[in-house]
Amino acid sequence: MTASQRRSTWPVTTVVAHVVLALLTVIILAGVRHLGADLWQIFAAAGAAALLHVGAVVARRRPWVGYAIGALAMLVLVTMPFLGWSPNMLPSAVCFPLTLWRLTSLVPVRSSVVALAVAALGIVLTELVAWARLPPDTPGWTRLVEGGLLMLVVGGVWLAALLVRRRHEAGRRAESGRLAAAVADERAGIRRDLHDVIAHTVTVMVARIEAAAVTTADPATRRELGDIAEAGRDAHQGLRAMLATLGPATVAPRAGSRPGKVPISLDALPDLVASAASPLHAVTFAEVGERRPLSLSAEVAAVRTVQEGITNALRHLEPPVEVTVRLRWTPAEVVVEVRDDGGKALRDVGSQGTGLMGIEERVRTAGGTLSIDDGDDGWVLRARLPTKEGNDRTE
């Protein structure tokens, strides 16, 4: 049964329970009347029982009001003389513990403790009144037994309601934690995608502008292109500062979450490499071996690795720069390698970004490994990603 179905059947269950308890109370009051109880006693007990039912209904929306009505009805019952037994044992008296349950499940714990104390005080008052009216031939321990049983019932109801409430609160906290993790994952995904796409594009634009500035013969044009390139680098730094507000750089994605917003194909790599080339940036692409099927996460990780490798080379190295992108296929894996020659010199670009951390996370999520070799002749960014055939062999 679903939650909506339970909500729809709950009023029917409540009505049936009230009708059954009311009928049992009427039967018992009729029997007590037959045994010689006064008519006013019957009417007083019936009125108190009706108040108990009203209190249980009101407590669903106004727990304190419903509890107060129920407590008043119980006070009427315990102070009214009856024939040899406590009138609070009427079936309708069950409504009072229900109002306590409702109150405990909604109000702060300290307030529910006050309500429990009121109920316990009412039990003590009940047994004191019954003790004072106890016939001489009736042992006094019967009042202690009844009082103890009532205390157990009220205390058990309060404790059970408190435990159920805490379980529900723990469930809500867990759900809030899952939502917070989903938001953090989404923000991290947005950050990674913005870095991979926009930062790469800006870096390629700056590199091509710098190449144009070197090849032009007009000094004014050269200065203008240099200013544009500097503005592009500033924009890149501003982008990284903005992305820092989106959250941590490395947030582990949830199981089954998408590795990227837009599926990226390996078929786009030749165009990606070609768009990064310029007169001062020789960027080439080579693919060795028979291409094998990859999972979506592995294919995205491969493309993003190439993007990040080219972006870092163009951004961190003074031209002229040579960058080689190579894909080497085996039945079990594809090795994605982005190698640069170190350029003319290292360029001071300020603080380090978080792109490599994002790429490492993507590669690890796809089941692969990432390595970075920093040698005298340049950097090598190498990602090993399993093919679908390789994944099948390891399972």
Side-chain angles (χ1 to χ4, degrees):
M1 183 181 295
T2 64
S4 60
Q5 289 174 330
R6 285 195 297 269
R7 284 193 295 268
S8 64
T9 58
W10 169 247
V12 176
T13 306
T14 303
V15 170
V16 171
H18 279 289
V19 170
V20 171
L21 290 176
L23 287 176
L24 292 175
T25 298
V26 169
I27 293 173
I28 290 178
L29 290 178
V32 172
R33 172 62 177 167
H34 180 72
L35 293 175
D38 294 333
L39 192 60
W40 72 269
Q41 293 176 321
I42 301 300
F43 279 115
L51 280 179
L52 285 167
H53 289 279
V54 170
V57 173
V58 172
R60 295 191 61 191
R61 293 188 177 272
R62 298 177 178 270
W64 273 116
V65 176
Y67 186 77
I69 293 174
L72 177 63
M74 293 299 295
L75 181 63
V76 172
L77 288 178
V78 301
T79 56
M80 184 181 59
F82 238 51
L83 296 176
W85 61 287
S86 298
N88 60 358
M89 302 302 289
L90 286 174
S92 293
V94 174
C95 293
F96 182 67
L98 294 180
T99 61
L100 177 62
W101 177 289
R102 183 65 177 171
L103 183 71
T104 304
S105 63
L106 294 178
V107 304
V109 177
R110 291 184 179 180
S111 299
S112 69
V113 171
V114 174
L116 177 63
V118 170
L121 183 61
I123 293 173
V124 172
L125 178 61
T126 299
E127 297 311 317
L128 288 177
V129 171
W131 191 298
R133 296 172 178 169
L134 198 64
D137 57 343
T138 304
W141 60 264
T142 57
R143 311 294 357 132
L144 294 177
V145 171
E146 181 182 280
L149 291 175
L150 291 176
M151 286 288 188
L152 286 176
V153 170
V154 171
V157 168
W158 178 83
L159 183 60
L162 189 63
L163 292 176
V164 170
R165 171 182 176 166
R166 290 186 173 178
R167 186 181 64 182
H168 289 167
E169 289 175 349
R172 286 193 294 268
R173 286 194 298 270
E175 182 63 22
S176 298
R178 287 191 290 270
L179 290 176
V183 171
D185 182 28
E186 193 71 11
R187 288 165 68 91
I190 293 172
R191 179 178 183 176
R192 290 193 300 268
D193 288 342
L194 283 174
H195 178 277
D196 292 346
V197 176
I198 301 178
H200 173 80
T201 304
V202 171
T203 301
V204 171
M205 289 171 57
V206 170
R208 295 175 71 90
I209 291 171
E210 288 178 332
V214 171
T215 57
T216 186
D218 184 8
T221 302
R222 185 181 301 114
R223 286 194 302 272
E224 186 68 23
L225 290 175
D227 291 341
I228 295 174
E230 186 63 27
R233 284 191 288 269
D234 292 341
H236 192 186
Q237 292 291 336
L239 173 65
R240 288 170 53 195
M242 180 194 70
L243 296 181
T245 65
L246 291 178
T250 54
V251 177
R254 302 183 310 276
S257 63
R258 294 174 298 169
K261 296 300 179 186
V262 180
I264 299 176
S265 171
L266 293 177
D267 295 333
L269 286 181
D271 291 338
L272 177 67
V273 170
S275 66
S278 75
L280 297 180
H281 304 87
V283 187
T284 59
F285 175 72
E287 189 169 3
V288 179
E290 181 184 353
R291 184 177 291 191
R292 308 281 179 163
L294 293 176
S295 65
L296 177 59
S297 60
E299 191 162 3
V300 171
V303 176
R304 295 306 196 197
T305 299
V306 173
Q307 262 190 342
E308 185 64 20
I310 295 175
T311 300
N312 282 343
L314 270 56
R315 180 168 176 263
H316 291 273
L317 300 177
E318 291 282 357
V321 177
E322 291 186 8
V323 181
T324 302
V325 177
R326 179 185 175 93
L327 267 62
R328 188 173 70 252
W329 293 88
T330 68
E333 67 176 8
V334 58
V335 179
V336 181
E337 184 178 281
V338 183
R339 182 187 298 269
D340 64 66
D341 64 350
K344 184 177 179 181
L346 282 174
R347 176 182 288 165
D348 184 11
V349 294
S351 61
Q352 298 297 315
T354 59
L356 288 178
M357 288 187 287
I359 295 302
E360 183 178 11
E361 182 182 340
R362 289 183 185 276
V363 172
R364 185 176 62 251
T365 302
T369 59
L370 181 73
S371 63
I372 304 172
D373 298 329
D374 181 13
D376 295 335
D377 55 347
W379 282 52
V380 180
L381 183 64
R382 185 180 294 109
R384 296 181 177 273
L385 296 163
T387 62
K388 287 186 175 181
E389 184 178 349
N391 277 328
D392 293 339
R393 289 179 179 179
T394 58
E395 291 178 355

